[in-house]
Amino acid sequence: MKNILIIGSNGQIGTDLLAKLRQKFNNGQVIASDIRNPKNPDPKFVLLDATDRESVRNVLKDYQIDEVYLMAAILSANAEKMPNKAWDINMQVLFNLLELAKEGLFKKLFWPSSIAVFGPHTPRINTPQYAVMDPNTVYGISKLAGERWIEYYREHFNVDVRSVRYPGIISWKTMPGGGTTDYAVEIFHEALKHGRYTSFLAANTRLPMMYMPDAIDATIKIMEADQERLSIHNSYNIAGISFTPEELAAAIRQYIPGFTIDYQPDFRQAIAESWPESIDDRMAFKDWHWHHKYDLDSMVKDMLKNLEKKYQAGSLLYQMDL
Ligand code: SER
C-alpha cells in the first residue's frame, strides 16, 4: 500500500486525477491538497500552500507519503499578467518538492511540463522531443527551467521525477485556470448555454490538445513505468489531437447544428503562435507504450454528453442527438 499526495487537487487536472487515483486504489490513502478548500467536504483533504516548504514537509511526514503529484502552477495567460509572481510560485513549489525528495521524505514525484517549453524557433509541425527551445512566455520559461532542474536533481541527487509535456487539456469536470488553450473548454459551455462562442484565438490557430482521460492515463502510466525504461529524464512529448478553433466548432456543430462562432483574438494569440501545432511523441510510445485514445469526434461527443448532464438542472437551448 502506498500513500499518495496530490498538490493542486482542486484544479483542472488535479480534480480528475484525484478521482482516478482514488478509484484505482479503492479509496486508499490518496491525500488531496490545495491552497483553497474543495467545494465538497473531503476527510482526506489538507489545506496546503505548497510554496511553504515546512508545511509541505509536515504533510509528507504526517501522512507518510510515498508519491507526490505536483499539479499546482500558474498557467500561461495568467502568468503573463504577473510575471514575477508566476515565476516565484512555479519555481518555488518545484524546488520545495525536489529538496524534500532529496532529503528522502518521499520516493517519487510527478511534475508536469508543457508544450509551452517550445518557442518561435521550434519546428511547429510534429515538434520533436529534442528541438530548439526558446519559450517567450513566463510560464514556458519556468517549465523549461523546471525540466532542466528535474534532470539535474535526478543526475546529482538520484531524485525520481517523472514528467510529460501536457498539451492543452480538455475536460468537463473543472474549468482550466488561465491558460492559452482554455478556449477549447469554454467553447463547449458556451455552445450548450448560448449556442454561440467568441474565440480569443483566431480561426486557423492549430494547437496540440488532449482529452482529460488520455492526460490522466499518461500521468499514471509514466508514474508506474519501470525507471530503467525511461530514457528521457527531463520531460516526454505526448500528443493527442491537433485542431483549430474553426475545426472544433465544426465538430461541435455535428451535434448542435445551430452553433456559431466568431473570433476576437487577444494577447493569447501571440502565445499560441509561439507554440507547436502538433507533437511527435514517438519516444513516449517507445519507452512506456504511450498512445492517446480520443480523437476529435469521440472527445467532442463525450464532452457534450457529460456537460449536458451537468447542465440538466438548467434549461438547455439546444437539443443534441448524441
Ligand atoms: N494549457 C496550458 C496553457 O495554456 C499549456 O500547458 O497555459
Side-chain angles (χ1 to χ4, degrees):
M1 221 13 220
K2 58 187 171 188
N3 299 330
I4 294 174
L5 173 67
I6 301 179
I7 296 175
S9 59
N10 296 345
Q12 187 199 12
I13 302 175
T15 303
D16 276 271
L17 183 63
L18 177 64
K20 186 70 188 187
L21 287 174
R22 285 198 172 152
Q23 182 193 38
K24 188 175 162 69
F25 295 107
N26 201 17
N27 269 338
Q29 193 73 310
V30 183
I31 306 300
S33 74
D34 205 291
I35 199 160
R36 282 179 209 90
N37 278 309
K39 269 189 249 136
N40 303 315
D42 173 357
K44 288 182 185 160
F45 175 88
V46 271
L47 203 57
L48 178 64
D49 175 357
T51 61
D52 178 0
R53 190 174 301 172
E54 292 318 299
S55 302
V56 181
R57 182 196 302 280
N58 289 338
V59 173
L60 293 171
K61 278 187 176 164
D62 288 351
Y63 295 93
Q64 300 184 330
I65 296 297
D66 301 294
E67 294 181 4
V68 177
Y69 291 78
L70 176 49
M71 312 310 284
I74 309 289
L75 292 186
S76 60
N78 278 352
E80 292 307 294
K81 295 178 195 155
M82 43 175 180
N84 297 80
K85 195 174 166 192
W87 170 262
D88 286 346
I89 291 174
N90 288 354
M91 297 315 292
Q92 189 61 51
V93 293
L94 174 59
F95 275 119
N96 284 348
L97 272 298
L98 287 174
E99 277 295 308
L100 293 165
K102 179 182 152 191
E103 286 181 35
L105 270 105
F106 65 102
K107 298 187 190 82
K108 207 191 278 187
L109 174 65
F110 178 83
W111 173 82
S113 185
S114 162
I115 53 163
V117 291
F118 298 113
H121 292 88
T122 306
R124 295 192 68 203
I125 297 171
N126 282 330
T127 299
Q129 177 70 37
Y130 294 107
V132 171
M133 293 165 111
D134 57 346
N136 56 9
T137 63
V138 176
Y139 178 67
I141 296 168
S142 75
K143 287 295 184 189
L144 182 53
E147 284 194 10
R148 304 317 308 141
W149 279 112
I150 64 172
E151 187 162 346
Y152 188 92
Y153 269 74
R154 187 197 143 85
E155 272 171 21
H156 293 265
F157 310 121
N158 207 20
V159 171
D160 186 357
V161 195
R162 314 289 174 96
S163 181
V164 295
R165 293 171 178 153
Y166 285 136
I169 307 292
I170 298 160
S171 67
W172 54 269
K173 280 196 188 132
T174 306
M175 295 297 280
T180 301
T181 55
D182 295 14
Y183 92 85
V185 178
E186 290 172 7
I187 191 172
F188 286 97
H189 291 263
E190 294 307 307
L192 284 167
K193 284 190 290 188
H194 304 117
R196 61 174 187 275
Y197 178 61
T198 300
S199 169
F200 59 75
L201 295 185
N204 58 356
T205 314
R206 187 175 304 282
L207 285 171
M209 302 277 185
M210 183 177 286
Y211 196 32
M212 184 64 89
D214 281 332
I216 298 298
D217 189 33
T219 306
I220 294 176
K221 220 168 180 169
I222 197 173
M223 280 297 266
E224 291 187 339
D226 280 345
Q227 201 181 14
E228 303 79 60
R229 290 196 63 90
L230 303 177
S231 62
I232 288 172
H233 300 132
N234 52 345
S235 189
Y236 279 88
N237 275 7
I238 55 168
I241 332 157
S242 285
F243 54 78
T244 65
E246 198 169 39
E247 288 164 357
L248 179 56
I252 292 174
R253 215 170 283 124
Q254 301 286 315
Y255 301 100
I256 305 177
F259 175 62
T260 59
I261 183 164
D262 62 351
Y263 303 93
Q264 282 176 27
D266 65 14
F267 73 101
R268 289 168 280 194
Q269 182 65 29
I271 301 179
E273 282 174 15
S274 77
W275 288 354
E277 290 189 7
S278 56
I279 298 289
D280 177 344
D281 64 355
R282 278 176 293 179
M283 290 301 291
F285 178 73
K286 182 170 163 279
D287 287 1
W288 43 282
H289 307 299
W290 155 253
H291 191 65
H292 70 278
K293 294 189 182 70
Y294 282 85
D295 62 12
L296 180 58
D297 185 59
S298 53
M299 178 274 286
V300 166
K301 195 168 173 173
D302 199 67
M303 275 294 282
L304 290 172
K305 189 178 75 189
N306 283 295
L307 281 177
E308 193 190 24
K309 276 191 219 148
K310 234 182 146 177
Y311 279 119
Q312 250 162 13
S315 65
L316 275 179
L317 294 174
Y318 288 78
Q319 286 300 317
M320 292 179 301
D321 181 22
L322 290 168

